[in-house]
Amino acid sequence: MQLVEFLAPHFQFVSDPTAWVALLTLIVLEVVLGIDNLIFISILTNKLPEAQRARARRLGISAALIMRLVLLATISIIVQLTTPVFTAFSHGFSWRDLILIAGGLFLVWKATKEIHHTVDPEDHKDTMMGETLQISLAGAIFQILLLDLVFSIDSIITAVGMTDEIAIMYIAVIVAVSVMMLAAGPLANFIAKNPSIVMLALGFLLMIGMTLIADGMGYHVPKGYIYAAMGFSALVEGLNMLARRRRKSGGGH
């Protein structure tokens, strides 16, 4: 009974139609924002032995959910992350900006290393490339957690900008991460079975990394442009895959 009394004020929005619209919009936004995270998790876990991949994806995405729920619990602190702490190059840098820049640099570094290995798999001179090839489950989870933090902060700040209802934020985050959990396996398997998709996905990570850096530096790139470019590239690659499949089937007769 006490639990019901405690939760009741947080669920008064159920009788408000505009709150339901906000909830649905936020769920869609959170799912779309999760695509970046999902591509990274899929690329990274495919480096693991096959027996460990599903476990790494589950652990990584579960960690993303826990991290976002914890961040929501400290929402007053998260909102303050947008307050500038110092100024450089005529731009006031906040803790959010610095986290986005760090995350963007990490993504650019990771994607560049993976592209280098994909283009020239015989080149093992680079010790960091050796580490990438010998990635462990713990190493994969650690890297996923790093990016989870970056994407989680951006996700929560987006949620705060959409609604004041904490219950709506919690529901949207839980639904979005659940969708990520369901989509992670099929996406990772699709990438693993189609080598040309790997390069496309790495290109996406490179673009996302540069976007995070630009956003942290104060140059906001509308997400619509990013996802439109990703969608167009995926469509072209889909046509290429279809053409290759037709050629193979034609050559077999």
Side-chain angles (χ1 to χ4, degrees), residues 128-239:
M128 291 308 294
M129 190 51 59
E131 286 177 19
T132 301
L133 292 171
Q134 300 296 323
I135 191 169
S136 65
L137 179 62
I141 296 298
F142 177 70
Q143 292 184 51
I144 290 169
L145 282 173
L146 280 179
L147 260 295
D148 277 348
L149 177 64
V150 176
F151 289 126
S152 293
I153 287 174
D154 219 24
S155 166
I156 298 308
I157 288 173
T158 300
V160 172
M162 279 291 301
T163 180
D164 294 326
E165 292 284 352
I166 192 74
I168 288 178
M169 296 181 205
Y170 272 107
I171 293 168
V173 164
I174 291 168
V175 171
V177 176
S178 300
V179 170
M180 282 174 64
M181 189 75 81
L182 292 172
L187 178 63
N189 292 335
F190 180 71
I191 289 174
K193 289 175 185 174
N194 297 276
S196 61
I197 293 291
V198 174
M199 189 60 75
L200 184 65
L202 290 172
F204 288 164
L205 288 182
L206 205 54
M207 180 170 65
I208 293 162
M210 292 303 297
T211 305
L212 289 176
I213 294 169
D215 202 353
M217 297 291 289
Y219 301 98
H220 180 66
V221 181
K223 290 281 184 184
Y225 293 152
I226 303 300
Y227 294 123
M230 289 169 69
F232 180 75
S233 302
L235 176 63
V236 171
E237 183 56 31
L239 292 172

Side-chain angles (χ1 to χ4, degrees), residues 48 82 89 127 145 242:
L48 291 167
T82 57
F89 308 109
T127 55
L145 282 173
L242 184 62

Side-chain angles (χ1 to χ4, degrees), residues 53-71:
R53 291 175 187 175
R55 184 183 172 204
R57 286 193 293 269
R58 282 196 302 271
L59 286 172
I61 295 172
S62 299
L65 175 60
I66 292 167
M67 197 173 293
R68 290 179 194 200
L69 295 179
V70 168
L71 288 174

Side-chain angles (χ1 to χ4, degrees), residues 8-107:
H10 297 290
F11 284 87
Q12 290 177 347
F13 73 87
V14 293
S15 58
D16 183 2
T18 58
W20 282 100
V21 172
L23 175 60
L24 292 173
T25 306
L26 189 53
I27 287 172
V28 171
L29 271 176
E30 293 292 326
V31 169
V32 171
L33 286 171
I35 292 171
D36 309 350
N37 210 353
L38 206 51
I39 292 172
F40 178 77
I41 290 172
S42 299
I43 289 280
L44 197 60
T45 53
N46 281 347
K47 288 280 177 187
L48 291 167
E50 195 167 349
Q52 294 182 342
R53 291 175 187 175
R55 184 183 172 204
R57 286 193 293 269
R58 282 196 302 271
L59 286 172
I61 295 172
S62 299
L65 175 60
I66 292 167
M67 197 173 293
R68 290 179 194 200
L69 295 179
V70 168
L71 288 174
L72 275 173
T74 59
I75 203 161
S76 58
I77 298 171
I78 299 301
V79 171
Q80 290 172 11
L81 289 178
T82 57
T83 306
V85 288
F86 69 91
T87 303
F89 308 109
S90 303
H91 173 63
F93 287 88
S94 64
W95 283 111
R96 173 184 174 271
D97 293 334
L98 297 177
I99 291 168
L100 288 181
I101 292 170
L105 288 170
F106 175 73
L107 263 188

Side-chain angles (χ1 to χ4, degrees), residues 111-121 123 126 129:
T112 303
K113 289 287 182 185
E114 294 295 340
I115 288 171
H116 173 70
H117 169 60
T118 305
V119 171
D120 190 6
D123 183 10
D126 191 343
M129 190 51 59

